[in-house]
Amino acid sequence: MTESPHVFVTIDEVGDIAGATFGPSTWREIPQEDIDIYAQLSGDDNPIHVDAEAAAKSPFGGRIAHGMLTLSMVVPHLREIYRVSGTSTGIVYGFDKIRFPSPVPSGSPIRVRGEVADVTEISGGWQVKLALTFEVEGSAKPAVYAELILRHYR
């Protein structure tokens, strides 16, 4: 398949999307307020995320978003660039690989692009593996690389 700004297909077309590339999504900032809320909810209050003074002394030079917070931002990004319609339901089945090669400085915008790495027919629908790259505005290295597995049911 060819590169496209998005993959929008029906459940009956999912078998034909292997190899399709899509994105990028629009840039979305991860503000410090979201980082603080995530720290409170998750219990991950590592100073590199929430303490400006301590984070300034770290190798990162300032506060950074949690890797798992960045990863969780996949939902609004994917809604913009990947969609399967005509389903009864869809679920996140899991991840095969997650890497955090570069931090996301507090307040930095991220965006997502991807490729349909694999499509497998399952009972009642399709399992799709998306190879996703989360980019940070102004950074040469991605913030996250993740292989997300979705299941789309008829």
Side-chain angles (χ1 to χ4, degrees), residues 66-75 95 98 100 134 144-146:
H66 303 74
M68 297 303 287
L69 169 59
T70 304
L71 180 63
S72 74
M73 297 301 295
V74 71
V75 174
F95 290 90
I98 302 170
F100 302 104
F134 292 63
V144 180
Y145 172 79

Side-chain angles (χ1 to χ4, degrees), residues 86-139:
T87 65
S88 64
T89 194
I91 63 166
V92 171
Y93 188 68
F95 290 90
D96 273 353
K97 182 178 184 178
I98 302 170
R99 297 289 182 268
F100 302 104
S102 183
V104 177
S106 174
S108 293
I110 62 168
R111 68 181 180 184
V112 174
R113 64 176 68 241
E115 177 181 354
V116 180
D118 189 49
V119 177
T120 307
E121 192 164 11
I122 59 171
S123 179
W126 297 95
Q127 180 169 292
V128 178
K129 182 189 293 187
L130 302 178
L132 302 174
T133 302
F134 292 63
E135 300 171 342
V136 180
E137 190 171 49
S139 177

Side-chain angles (χ1 to χ4, degrees), residues 2-147:
T2 60
E3 187 171 337
S4 172
H6 62 266
V7 171
F8 293 164
V9 296
T10 67
I11 189 70
D12 296 326
E13 298 167 320
V14 172
D16 298 325
I17 64 172
T21 58
F22 53 92
S25 63
T26 56
W27 293 106
R28 284 187 172 77
E29 184 179 308
I30 302 182
Q32 186 60 45
E33 180 182 3
D34 289 358
I35 295 168
D36 292 341
I37 291 168
Y38 184 85
Q40 185 178 31
L41 290 171
S42 68
D44 182 353
D45 60 357
N46 184 323
I48 62 172
H49 303 304
V50 297
D51 184 325
E53 187 177 316
K57 296 175 187 172
S58 78
F60 305 110
R63 292 177 291 185
I64 61 172
H66 303 74
M68 297 303 287
L69 169 59
T70 304
L71 180 63
S72 74
M73 297 301 295
V74 71
V75 174
H77 290 279
L78 273 188
R79 283 186 178 153
E80 184 181 324
I81 58 177
Y82 175 87
R83 187 175 314 139
V84 177
S85 60
T87 65
S88 64
T89 194
I91 63 166
V92 171
Y93 188 68
F95 290 90
D96 273 353
K97 182 178 184 178
I98 302 170
R99 297 289 182 268
F100 302 104
S102 183
V104 177
S106 174
S108 293
I110 62 168
R111 68 181 180 184
V112 174
R113 64 176 68 241
E115 177 181 354
V116 180
D118 189 49
V119 177
T120 307
E121 192 164 11
I122 59 171
S123 179
W126 297 95
Q127 180 169 292
V128 178
K129 182 189 293 187
L130 302 178
L132 302 174
T133 302
F134 292 63
E135 300 171 342
V136 180
E137 190 171 49
S139 177
K141 289 178 73 175
V144 180
Y145 172 79
E147 293 177 354

